[in-house]
Amino acid sequence: DVKVTQSSRYLVKRTGEKVFLECVQDMDHENMFWYRQDPGLGLRLIYFSYDVKMKEKGDIPEGYSVSREKKERFSLILESASTNQTSMYLCASSFGQGAREQYFGPGTRLTVT
Amino acid sequence: AQSVTQLDSQVPVFEEAPVELRCNYSSSVSVYLFWYVQYPNQGLQLLLKYLSGSTLVESINGFEAEFNKSQTSFHLRKPSVHISDTAEYFCAVRSPRQGAQKLVFGQGTRLTINP
């Protein structure tokens, strides 16, 4: 079974803090994704990566950055957390090209106070 | 640019009743279509997908969806729902273009099954 794990299920941070969300997949997938999920808005892509050290902006990259130093790990960084970044963050991975399904982690619910 | 509209944010139904969750997409090119399900406190799981061929696709737990190119729709149906189908359902679209890995998701439909 493909497993995508995220470092925390729940996280509470203060405004202005630097926040790291970690995602690890165990199936040697090339592609990894970070989404945020908000009620009524569905999932919106923040960043994705199709190879180590490669990254591409998604639809809402402002206020976020990412790091992929190893194939299995994809980190989302909030340089200076703000209250409007309070959300559910979902990581996903997929294998190579073609119509491959994305496998999702359980999510991290981040609250910024 | 591609977009997906799920016409109902919430759908309450009684157990053993039929259900239809509606999904429309807009795209100037051909697309791949997906339905994902999110059970409470879990991540998303693929329910079914349309890539090509038969326009009717089925999942292992009794759901089916029909690709309708003329109406740009991919509605999800189940003839008789169970309490365990309570979840949020997301429709998604992807370009079949080589190298395109991005999924565009709809807003989600929360399906609530009442006993």
Side-chain angles (χ1 to χ4, degrees):
Chain A
D1 270 358
V2 175
K3 194 158 187 183
V4 180
T5 56
Q6 297 184 228
S7 50
S8 307
R9 289 302 304 271
Y10 300 94
L11 207 54
V12 180
K13 295 292 182 180
R14 294 195 180 276
T15 300
E17 278 193 83
K18 191 169 186 175
V19 181
F20 292 87
L21 302 183
E22 305 286 340
C23 175
V24 177
Q25 49 92 4
D26 66 358
M27 281 300 291
D28 204 34
H29 284 174
E30 285 84 357
N31 308 306
M32 297 188 74
F33 308 82
W34 274 108
Y35 296 90
R36 63 177 283 175
Q37 180 182 7
D38 299 289
L41 297 177
L43 276 73
R44 293 178 292 167
L45 183 64
I46 304 171
Y47 268 97
F48 66 104
S49 168
Y50 52 87
D51 202 351
V52 175
K53 296 191 186 295
M54 304 301 287
K55 61 184 179 185
E56 285 200 27
K57 293 180 179 179
D59 301 315
I60 52 164
E62 296 78 19
Y64 303 94
S65 62
V66 290
S67 173
R68 192 161 180 208
E69 296 296 319
K70 294 185 177 181
K71 191 174 186 180
E72 68 270 19
R73 188 180 296 271
F74 192 36
S75 303
L76 180 69
I77 303 154
L78 287 66
E79 295 289 342
S80 177
S82 63
T83 54
N84 62 11
Q85 292 178 310
T86 291
S87 186
M88 171 70 84
Y89 290 87
L90 293 170
C91 175
S93 70
S94 69
F95 177 69
Q97 299 291 324
R100 312 282 184 169
E101 71 174 279
Q102 291 186 14
Y103 295 84
F104 283 81
T108 296
R109 185 165 294 282
L110 172 67
T111 302
V112 182
T113 61
Chain B
Q2 297 158 343
S3 66
V4 177
T5 302
Q6 291 182 243
L7 297 158
D8 306 294
S9 60
Q10 298 189 61
V11 174
V13 295
F14 288 106
E15 195 172 13
E16 297 183 5
V19 70
E20 178 180 80
L21 306 184
R22 297 179 293 170
C23 172
N24 286 90
Y25 68 92
S26 67
S27 176
S28 58
V29 296
S30 60
V31 293
Y32 294 146
L33 292 157
F34 304 81
W35 275 100
Y36 280 81
V37 58
Q38 184 179 33
Y39 298 107
N41 299 312
Q42 294 185 27
L44 276 69
Q45 306 171 31
L46 180 68
L47 189 60
L48 47 76
K49 63 184 177 183
Y50 170 78
L51 307 180
S52 64
S54 172
T55 56
L56 186 66
V57 291
E58 298 177 353
S59 73
I60 59 172
N61 58 353
F63 282 93
E64 63 179 31
E66 185 159 20
F67 169 56
N68 188 318
K69 187 174 182 180
S70 62
Q71 297 188 8
T72 60
S73 68
F74 191 54
H75 301 332
L76 183 70
R77 302 184 184 95
K78 189 170 185 180
S80 176
V81 295
H82 190 266
I83 291 284
S84 60
D85 293 323
T86 295
E88 190 154 20
Y89 293 79
F90 293 92
C91 184
V93 63
R94 214 205 86 190
S95 166
R97 179 176 58 84
Q98 185 72 9
Q101 295 297 324
K102 282 178 54 174
L103 282 174
V104 176
F105 285 87
Q107 302 89 333
T109 298
R110 188 170 298 278
L111 177 62
T112 305
I113 313 298
N114 298 306

